[in-house]
Amino acid sequence: MSVSVNSSDQVCENGTAELLPATNDDHGGVIVDMKDAMEPQAFRALLRASIVQWRLQGKKGVWIKLPIELVNLVEMVVKEGFHYHHAEPHYLMLVYWIPETTNTIPANASHRVGVGAIILNDKNEMLVVQEKSGRLQGTGVWKIPTGIVDEGEDITVAAVREVKEETGIDAEFSEVLAFRQAHKKFFEKSDLFFVCMMRPLSFDIQKQDLEIEAAKWISLEEFAAQPVTQKHGLFKCIHELCLAKVKGNYAGFSPLSIESFFDDKLSYFYLNRQDIQCLTSSVQS
Amino acid sequence: MSVSVNSSDQVCENGTAELLPATNDDHGGVIVDMKDAMEPQAFRALLRASIVQWRLQGKKGVWIKLPIELVNLVEMVVKEGFHYHHAEPHYLMLVYWIPETTNTIPANASHRVGVGAIILNDKNEMLVVQEKSGRLQGTGVWKIPTGIVDEGEDITVAAVREVKEETGIDAEFSEVLAFRQAHKKFFEKSDLFFVCMMRPLSFDIQKQDLEIEAAKWISLEEFAAQPVTQKHGLFKCIHELCLAKVKGNYAGFSPLSIESFFDDKLSYFYLNRQDIQCLTSSVQS
């Protein structure tokens, strides 16, 4: 259920001074993307007139995107019955549901996505770090390099980037070995954490100073011997995954490039390609 | 890198009238959770005094959570140098970075999470639907039941719920067969879509009227013959996954319950349990 915007589909022309310029979304609603300053009173008059019109047209959700520079309009828009939908550092998105029927406005993004990288060298030692902040700060715990996937970033790219940033090691993405979903990890949001297998392309560690206390190659035995590995499921699973990969009998999900439904955009579909090799030739772009 | 809040760790007592009540986060910052109405001018004075104090204490990020009822404070907070961080329907979270060093405030949630359910009956027919809205509206395309994972909801639960809501079929979660990451699917946000294998527990379809035009059991041949299946990667992959499951030679990721690092909370770790059976007994709760 995507709400991509068809920007060429103008609902009302700029020439119609009484209504706000808006574009249609794919679900019978309209989007007002405010760019220029306006007095709250003048904006309110336009908004009210526009909603009357949109109601007559049978429109559903009304979205108003306000850049942070137009913060002076926020209070008025809320007083007109809008709710917040989401915010990014430089804008706030508000929404209003016109019909009498059930509000089907889709929820805001609900998950942060993280990656962790398992990298083994030719002695089957694992690349690990100690972090300078967060709950493991000062505990001496050795963990795999991890980080947050940036907005719009592929998991494959994030894993390579985080390993390079934290340890200076160049690596290439191989497969997703496993993932964890956890809730209420960041305020009310959930977390999807992908454990990625990577192939090292260099071995000389240059640790980053801002976030990383120490980095090294550690034997799987030493990693397993840490109390945290014996106690906690995630560490235990990561150790088991390393052992399975060393034995060579574990299939994760590797990425396949597929085209989108309605445009030429490519995205990655992650699946067990060891078990479904027929697909590779028929779908990969 | 979670920013869970340790609410027992009060930075300044309510008795100190000159400062805002705040709690520490896990990364050297403070969180102000505003509950009561206040005049913008009075709030500004308190905020300024508090930031002076927090700066002396070496605090980093300052978070202010404003319920929508306190929308009259938003403009002032922005004018004091705060940015938006995220918003939910009933509140707005703003943030300010005190130190001179690089801002390491973690980004807002970046992904929506969706599920699609592959359900085969004992004739190897697949459960499919036609949707009433969205880009497939009116196209006659048969697709697997899909939906968005609610805030705080497990993928396993969402898949069961969506199938029940759309088709009336009871089913139980089996495994994640594959997943897709796509960008800019909902305004600027990305999308993680998990293709889930489910076991049907009932077979009598009772379609939902609000979102679903039609629902039925379809042969894999008929699904494959749709132009959309031949043209689009995701449909093609879903068909191939069905064939692989019918042949019985495809291993997906199935959920294992693991405990969290720092509390007793359980979460699911999804992995190829066919290849790593040793883990099951040692970790599952």
Side-chain angles (χ1 to χ4, degrees), chain B residues 182-224:
Chain B
H183 302 301
K184 303 210 173 190
K185 295 303 281 182
F186 180 70
F187 297 108
E188 294 303 304
K189 299 301 179 177
S190 301
D191 190 273
L192 274 162
F193 175 71
F194 292 88
V195 180
C196 303
M197 191 75 207
M198 316 278 290
R199 278 182 290 268
L201 302 173
S202 71
F203 300 91
D204 181 24
I205 293 170
Q206 304 279 342
K207 86 165 183 71
Q208 183 229 56
D209 287 333
L210 183 65
E211 297 171 302
I212 303 300
E213 187 66 42
K216 69 170 181 176
W217 296 98
I218 195 175
S219 71
L220 296 187
E221 293 73 22
E222 190 183 344
F223 184 78

Coordinates of all heavy atoms in Angstrom, one line a residue, chain B residues 182-224:
Chain B
A182 N 12.8 -1.8 -0.5 CA 12.6 -0.8 -1.6 C 12.5 0.6 -1.0 O 12.2 0.7 0.1 CB 11.3 -1.1 -2.4
H183 N 12.9 1.5 -1.8 CA 13.1 2.9 -1.3 C 12.0 3.8 -1.8 O 11.4 3.6 -2.8 CB 14.5 3.4 -1.6 CG 15.5 2.6 -1.0 ND1 15.6 2.3 0.3 CD2 16.5 1.8 -1.6 CE1 16.7 1.5 0.5 NE2 17.2 1.2 -0.6
K184 N 11.8 4.9 -1.0 CA 10.8 6.0 -1.4 C 9.5 5.4 -1.8 O 8.9 5.7 -2.8 CB 11.4 6.8 -2.6 CG 12.7 7.4 -2.2 CD 12.9 8.7 -2.9 CE 14.2 9.4 -2.3 NZ 14.5 10.7 -2.7
K185 N 9.0 4.5 -0.9 CA 7.7 3.9 -1.1 C 6.5 4.7 -0.5 O 5.4 4.5 -0.9 CB 7.7 2.5 -0.6 CG 8.6 1.5 -1.2 CD 8.4 1.4 -2.7 CE 7.3 0.5 -3.1 NZ 7.1 0.4 -4.5
F186 N 6.9 5.4 0.5 CA 5.8 6.1 1.2 C 6.4 7.5 1.7 O 7.2 7.5 2.6 CB 5.4 5.3 2.5 CG 4.3 6.0 3.3 CD1 3.1 6.1 2.8 CD2 4.6 6.5 4.5 CE1 2.1 6.7 3.5 CE2 3.6 7.1 5.3 CZ 2.4 7.2 4.8
F187 N 6.1 8.5 0.9 CA 6.9 9.8 1.0 C 8.4 9.4 0.9 O 8.7 8.7 -0.1 CB 6.5 10.5 2.2 CG 5.0 11.0 2.2 CD1 4.1 10.3 3.0 CD2 4.6 11.9 1.3 CE1 2.8 10.7 2.9 CE2 3.3 12.3 1.2 CZ 2.4 11.7 2.1
E188 N 9.2 9.8 1.8 CA 10.6 9.5 1.6 C 11.0 8.2 2.2 O 12.2 7.8 2.2 CB 11.5 10.6 2.3 CG 11.3 12.0 1.6 CD 11.7 11.9 0.1 OE1 12.8 11.4 -0.2 OE2 10.8 12.2 -0.8
K189 N 10.1 7.5 2.8 CA 10.5 6.3 3.6 C 10.6 5.0 2.7 O 10.1 4.9 1.6 CB 9.4 6.0 4.7 CG 9.2 7.1 5.7 CD 10.5 7.4 6.4 CE 10.4 8.6 7.4 NZ 11.6 8.8 8.1
S190 N 11.4 4.1 3.3 CA 11.6 2.8 2.6 C 10.7 1.8 3.2 O 10.0 2.0 4.1 CB 13.1 2.4 2.8 OG 14.0 3.4 2.3
D191 N 10.8 0.6 2.5 CA 9.8 -0.4 2.8 C 10.5 -1.8 2.8 O 11.4 -2.1 2.0 CB 8.8 -0.4 1.6 CG 7.6 -1.3 1.7 OD1 7.7 -2.5 1.4 OD2 6.6 -0.8 2.2
L192 N 10.3 -2.5 3.9 CA 10.8 -3.9 3.9 C 9.5 -4.8 3.9 O 8.6 -4.7 4.7 CB 11.5 -4.2 5.2 CG 13.0 -3.8 5.2 CD1 13.6 -3.6 6.6 CD2 13.8 -4.8 4.4
F193 N 9.5 -5.7 2.9 CA 8.4 -6.5 2.6 C 8.8 -8.0 2.8 O 9.6 -8.5 2.0 CB 7.9 -6.2 1.2 CG 6.7 -7.1 0.7 CD1 5.5 -7.0 1.3 CD2 6.9 -8.1 -0.2 CE1 4.4 -7.8 0.9 CE2 5.9 -8.9 -0.6 CZ 4.6 -8.8 -0.1
F194 N 8.2 -8.6 3.8 CA 8.5 -10.0 4.1 C 7.5 -11.0 3.5 O 6.3 -10.9 3.8 CB 8.6 -10.2 5.6 CG 9.7 -9.5 6.2 CD1 9.6 -8.2 6.6 CD2 11.0 -10.1 6.3 CE1 10.7 -7.5 7.2 CE2 12.1 -9.4 6.9 CZ 11.9 -8.1 7.3
V195 N 8.0 -11.9 2.6 CA 7.1 -12.9 2.1 C 7.1 -14.1 3.0 O 8.1 -14.7 3.3 CB 7.6 -13.4 0.7 CG1 6.7 -14.4 0.1 CG2 7.7 -12.2 -0.3
C196 N 5.9 -14.4 3.6 CA 5.8 -15.4 4.6 C 5.1 -16.6 4.2 O 4.0 -16.5 3.5 CB 5.0 -14.8 5.8 SG 5.7 -13.3 6.5
M197 N 5.6 -17.8 4.5 CA 4.9 -19.0 4.3 C 3.9 -19.3 5.5 O 4.4 -19.2 6.6 CB 5.9 -20.2 4.1 CG 5.3 -21.5 3.6 SD 5.0 -21.4 1.8 CE 3.6 -22.5 1.7
M198 N 2.7 -19.6 5.2 CA 1.7 -19.9 6.2 C 1.0 -21.2 6.0 O 0.9 -21.6 4.8 CB 0.6 -18.8 6.2 CG 1.1 -17.4 5.9 SD 1.6 -16.6 7.5 CE 0.0 -16.4 8.3
R199 N 0.6 -21.8 7.1 CA -0.2 -23.1 7.0 C -1.6 -22.7 7.2 O -2.0 -22.2 8.2 CB 0.3 -24.1 8.0 CG 1.5 -24.9 7.7 CD 1.8 -25.8 8.9 NE 2.3 -25.1 10.1 CZ 3.6 -24.9 10.3 NH1 4.5 -25.3 9.5 NH2 3.9 -24.2 11.4
P200 N -2.5 -23.1 6.2 CA -3.9 -22.8 6.4 C -4.5 -23.7 7.5 O -4.2 -24.9 7.6 CB -4.5 -23.1 5.1 CG -3.6 -24.1 4.4 CD -2.3 -23.8 5.0
L201 N -5.4 -23.1 8.3 CA -6.1 -23.9 9.4 C -7.6 -23.9 9.0 O -8.4 -24.7 9.6 CB -5.9 -23.2 10.7 CG -4.5 -23.1 11.2 CD1 -4.4 -22.3 12.5 CD2 -3.8 -24.5 11.4
S202 N -8.0 -23.1 8.0 CA -9.4 -23.2 7.5 C -9.3 -22.9 6.0 O -8.3 -22.4 5.5 CB -10.3 -22.2 8.3 OG -10.0 -20.8 7.9
F203 N -10.4 -23.1 5.3 CA -10.4 -23.0 3.8 C -11.5 -22.3 3.2 O -11.5 -22.0 2.0 CB -10.3 -24.5 3.2 CG -9.1 -25.2 3.7 CD1 -9.1 -26.0 4.8 CD2 -7.9 -25.1 3.0 CE1 -8.0 -26.7 5.3 CE2 -6.7 -25.7 3.5 CZ -6.8 -26.5 4.6
D204 N -12.5 -21.9 4.1 CA -13.7 -21.2 3.6 C -13.5 -19.7 3.6 O -13.4 -19.1 4.6 CB -14.9 -21.6 4.5 CG -16.2 -21.0 4.1 OD1 -16.3 -20.7 2.9 OD2 -17.0 -20.8 4.9
I205 N -13.4 -19.1 2.4 CA -13.1 -17.7 2.3 C -14.3 -16.8 2.6 O -15.4 -17.0 2.1 CB -12.6 -17.4 0.8 CG1 -11.2 -18.1 0.6 CG2 -12.5 -15.9 0.6 CD1 -10.8 -18.0 -0.9
Q206 N -14.1 -15.8 3.5 CA -15.0 -14.8 3.8 C -14.3 -13.5 3.6 O -13.7 -13.0 4.5 CB -15.4 -14.9 5.3 CG -16.0 -16.2 5.8 CD -17.4 -16.4 5.4 OE1 -18.1 -15.5 5.1 NE2 -17.9 -17.7 5.4
K207 N -14.5 -12.9 2.4 CA -13.7 -11.8 2.1 C -14.2 -10.5 2.8 O -15.4 -10.4 3.1 CB -13.6 -11.5 0.6 CG -14.8 -10.7 0.0 CD -14.5 -10.2 -1.4 CE -15.6 -9.3 -1.8 NZ -15.7 -8.1 -1.2
Q208 N -13.2 -9.6 3.1 CA -13.5 -8.4 3.7 C -14.0 -7.4 2.6 O -13.4 -7.4 1.5 CB -12.2 -7.9 4.4 CG -12.4 -6.6 5.2 CD -11.3 -5.6 4.8 OE1 -11.1 -5.3 3.7 NE2 -10.6 -5.2 5.9
D209 N -15.0 -6.6 2.9 CA -15.6 -5.7 1.9 C -14.8 -4.4 1.7 O -14.8 -3.8 0.6 CB -17.0 -5.5 2.1 CG -17.9 -6.7 1.9 OD1 -17.4 -7.5 1.0 OD2 -18.9 -6.9 2.5
L210 N -14.3 -3.8 2.7 CA -13.7 -2.5 2.7 C -12.5 -2.4 1.7 O -12.5 -1.5 0.9 CB -13.2 -2.1 4.1 CG -12.7 -0.6 4.2 CD1 -13.8 0.4 3.9 CD2 -12.1 -0.4 5.6
E211 N -11.6 -3.3 1.7 CA -10.4 -3.2 0.9 C -10.3 -4.2 -0.2 O -9.5 -4.1 -1.1 CB -9.2 -3.3 1.8 CG -9.0 -2.2 2.9 CD -7.9 -2.6 3.8 OE1 -7.9 -3.7 4.5 OE2 -6.9 -1.8 3.9
I212 N -11.1 -5.3 -0.1 CA -10.9 -6.4 -1.0 C -12.1 -6.6 -2.0 O -13.2 -6.7 -1.5 CB -10.7 -7.7 -0.1 CG1 -9.6 -7.6 0.8 CG2 -10.6 -9.0 -1.0 CD1 -8.2 -7.3 0.2
E213 N -11.8 -6.6 -3.2 CA -12.8 -6.8 -4.3 C -13.2 -8.3 -4.4 O -14.4 -8.6 -4.6 CB -12.2 -6.3 -5.6 CG -13.1 -6.3 -6.8 CD -14.2 -5.2 -6.6 OE1 -13.9 -4.1 -6.1 OE2 -15.4 -5.5 -6.9
A214 N -12.2 -9.2 -4.3 CA -12.5 -10.6 -4.5 C -11.3 -11.4 -3.9 O -10.2 -10.9 -3.7 CB -12.6 -10.9 -6.0
A215 N -11.7 -12.6 -3.5 CA -10.6 -13.5 -3.0 C -11.0 -14.9 -3.4 O -12.1 -15.3 -3.6 CB -10.6 -13.4 -1.5
K216 N -9.9 -15.7 -3.7 CA -10.2 -17.1 -4.1 C -8.9 -17.9 -4.0 O -7.8 -17.4 -3.7 CB -10.7 -17.2 -5.6 CG -9.6 -16.8 -6.6 CD -10.2 -17.1 -8.0 CE -9.1 -16.7 -9.1 NZ -9.5 -17.1 -10.5
W217 N -9.0 -19.2 -4.2 CA -7.9 -20.1 -4.3 C -7.6 -20.3 -5.8 O -8.5 -20.5 -6.6 CB -8.2 -21.5 -3.7 CG -8.5 -21.5 -2.2 CD1 -9.7 -21.5 -1.6 CD2 -7.5 -21.5 -1.2 NE1 -9.6 -21.5 -0.2 CE2 -8.2 -21.5 0.1 CE3 -6.1 -21.6 -1.2 CZ2 -7.6 -21.5 1.3 CZ3 -5.5 -21.6 0.1 CH2 -6.2 -21.6 1.3
I218 N -6.4 -20.1 -6.1 CA -6.0 -20.1 -7.6 C -4.9 -21.1 -7.8 O -4.1 -21.4 -6.9 CB -5.5 -18.7 -8.0 CG1 -5.4 -18.5 -9.5 CG2 -4.1 -18.4 -7.4 CD1 -5.0 -17.0 -9.8
S219 N -4.9 -21.8 -9.0 CA -3.9 -22.8 -9.3 C -2.6 -22.0 -9.5 O -2.6 -20.8 -10.0 CB -4.3 -23.6 -10.5 OG -4.2 -22.8 -11.6
L220 N -1.5 -22.6 -9.3 CA -0.2 -22.0 -9.5 C 0.0 -21.7 -11.0 O 0.6 -20.7 -11.4 CB 1.0 -22.9 -9.0 CG 1.0 -23.1 -7.5 CD1 2.3 -23.8 -7.1 CD2 0.9 -21.8 -6.8
E221 N -0.6 -22.5 -11.9 CA -0.6 -22.3 -13.3 C -1.3 -21.0 -13.7 O -0.8 -20.2 -14.5 CB -1.2 -23.5 -14.1 CG -0.4 -24.8 -14.0 CD -0.6 -25.4 -12.6 OE1 -1.5 -25.2 -11.9 OE2 0.4 -26.2 -12.3
E222 N -2.5 -20.8 -13.1 CA -3.3 -19.6 -13.4 C -2.6 -18.4 -12.9 O -2.5 -17.3 -13.5 CB -4.7 -19.7 -12.8 CG -5.6 -18.6 -13.3 CD -7.0 -18.6 -12.6 OE1 -7.4 -19.7 -12.0 OE2 -7.7 -17.6 -12.7
F223 N -2.0 -18.5 -11.7 CA -1.2 -17.3 -11.1 C 0.0 -17.0 -12.1 O 0.2 -15.8 -12.4 CB -0.7 -17.7 -9.7 CG 0.0 -16.5 -9.1 CD1 -0.7 -15.5 -8.5 CD2 1.4 -16.5 -9.0 CE1 -0.1 -14.4 -7.9 CE2 2.1 -15.4 -8.4 CZ 1.3 -14.4 -7.8
A224 N 0.7 -18.0 -12.5 CA 1.8 -17.8 -13.4 C 1.4 -17.2 -14.7 O 2.2 -16.5 -15.4 CB 2.6 -19.2 -13.6

